[in-house]
Amino acid sequence: MDYGAVMFPTEYSIAPDELARALEERGFESVWFPEHTHIPASRKSPWPGGGELPRDYWSSYDPFVALMAAAGATKRLRLGTGICLVIERDPIVTAKEVATLDRLSGGRVLFGIGGGWNAEEMEHHGTIFKSRFQRLREQVLAMKELWTKDVAEYRGDFVSFEPSWAWPKPAQKPHPPVLLGGESSYTLQRVVEFCDGWFPRARNAERVLSGLAELKERAATAGRDMKTISTSVFGAGPDPATLDKWAAGGITRAILRLPPEGRDKVLPLLDQWAKLVKR
């Protein structure tokens, strides 16, 4: 099982390039940056984490710009969006950003995506909460066309464009892995249908393993080889027993959650967690 780390990169946290170098030096496989374009001040949508929403959610850097800084500071560290809110983005522009980052980093992108939870945030972008997953599916399929076809076209209810040229193509073939966040049975079916990885949160250790078992059943029913589907647990804690259980159960990657703090707090944590990685 590989180990990554996720953190909201902000102006008051350790810089993305310094964090990336520190992770690579300590043997981590990947770095992950979340995304929120903004947070509406009405705060109508409750935060799934409960309580007050941390300010990091409206203070984070653009994930692709931050990941490019991380790419320039490292050689092998993989670069993940955790998660990219594709339903708030134009798919043609996003496809180019992903392909550009993958090309300039030498094929190191892991494209984590999700449907999002903040209804009013996505509505500011013209996305309706109830239909967000239909939009997400079309956007992913459209981006795959742009990444893999010399002349790409897509026609759907939410995304539509005529035959077009779009370069660069990603360095990874056929394209960077698309990892879908969520824990529901609907999510698992979507992973089997049009994604390359499952991206559950680490809120319930047993639910992760039961979800993996269900994912295997759904993949078998659809004729999908599980070797083509990775499993990355997002926001994991540094508990060796839980991590070992996940590794034994077949989880591909554990992504440890870092606080968006300065180097004086983050680097000592990474020194501690490096012992887990070296095991």
Side-chain angles (χ1 to χ4, degrees):
M1 185 171 71
D2 291 319
Y3 287 87
V6 58
M7 187 194 76
F8 275 102
T10 71
E11 61 188 271
Y12 50 81
S13 67
I14 185 173
D17 55 342
E18 184 176 12
L19 173 61
R21 279 193 299 270
L23 288 168
E24 186 167 87
E25 290 167 356
R26 289 160 177 78
F28 282 80
E29 177 248 8
S30 52
V31 63
W32 301 78
F33 294 145
E35 174 174 50
H36 281 278
T37 56
H38 69 302
I39 296 293
S42 67
R43 296 298 302 110
K44 290 180 182 178
S45 292
W47 178 41
E52 292 296 320
L53 183 71
R55 66 168 176 155
D56 322 315
Y57 280 73
W58 63 86
S59 303
S60 58
Y61 292 142
D62 177 275
F64 291 104
V65 177
L67 287 170
M68 191 64 245
T74 55
K75 297 294 185 182
R76 60 167 184 80
L77 193 73
R78 303 210 70 177
L79 311 162
T81 52
I83 59 171
C84 175
L85 292 169
V86 293
I87 47 88
E88 297 181 0
R89 290 173 156 268
D90 178 282
I92 299 174
V93 174
T94 304
K96 182 176 285 286
E97 287 188 323
V98 172
T100 300
L101 178 62
D102 198 56
R103 177 67 61 178
L104 293 178
S105 68
R108 290 189 274 155
V109 172
L110 296 165
F111 190 38
I113 65 171
W117 55 268
N118 194 311
E120 53 272 24
E121 176 188 351
M122 63 185 71
E123 286 171 2
H124 287 180
H125 292 279
T127 295
I128 304 303
F129 186 79
K130 288 184 178 180
S131 59
R132 69 195 188 284
F133 282 107
Q134 294 97 310
R135 178 182 288 273
L136 180 145
R137 176 183 178 276
E138 288 193 11
Q139 288 185 285
V140 171
L141 295 177
M143 286 189 286
K144 286 185 176 184
E145 291 294 302
L146 291 162
W147 290 329
T148 61
K149 302 289 180 61
D150 286 352
V151 180
E153 66 177 307
Y154 189 87
R155 300 191 186 281
D157 294 327
F158 298 92
V159 181
S160 184
F161 51 85
E162 64 184 33
S164 303
W165 301 320
W167 262 261
K169 304 301 183 186
Q172 297 179 79
K173 302 302 178 188
H175 52 73
V178 180
L179 286 60
L180 179 61
E183 295 79 40
S184 71
S185 293
Y186 296 109
T187 296
L188 298 174
Q189 190 58 40
R190 292 179 185 115
V191 169
V192 170
E193 182 189 352
F194 60 87
C195 295
D196 310 294
W198 180 41
F199 205 29
R201 291 165 292 186
R203 292 179 179 174
N204 186 313
E206 294 303 324
R207 176 68 184 104
V208 168
L209 293 178
S210 64
L212 178 57
E214 182 181 348
L215 179 62
K216 291 178 179 178
E217 292 176 1
R218 289 178 177 273
T221 299
R224 177 85 184 266
D225 187 349
M226 274 300 294
K227 291 180 181 179
T228 66
I229 302 175
S230 65
T231 50
S232 305
V233 181
F234 183 78
D239 176 56
T242 299
L243 295 170
D244 288 345
K245 183 181 294 186
W246 285 340
I251 296 299
T252 307
R253 177 185 296 111
I255 304 168
L256 303 175
R257 184 184 297 278
L258 283 166
E261 302 283 356
R263 64 192 313 275
D264 58 326
K265 292 187 178 179
V266 169
L267 295 181
L269 270 180
L270 294 184
D271 289 336
Q272 295 176 30
W273 294 353
K275 298 173 184 177
L276 293 172
V277 176
K278 291 178 181 178
R279 292 185 312 158

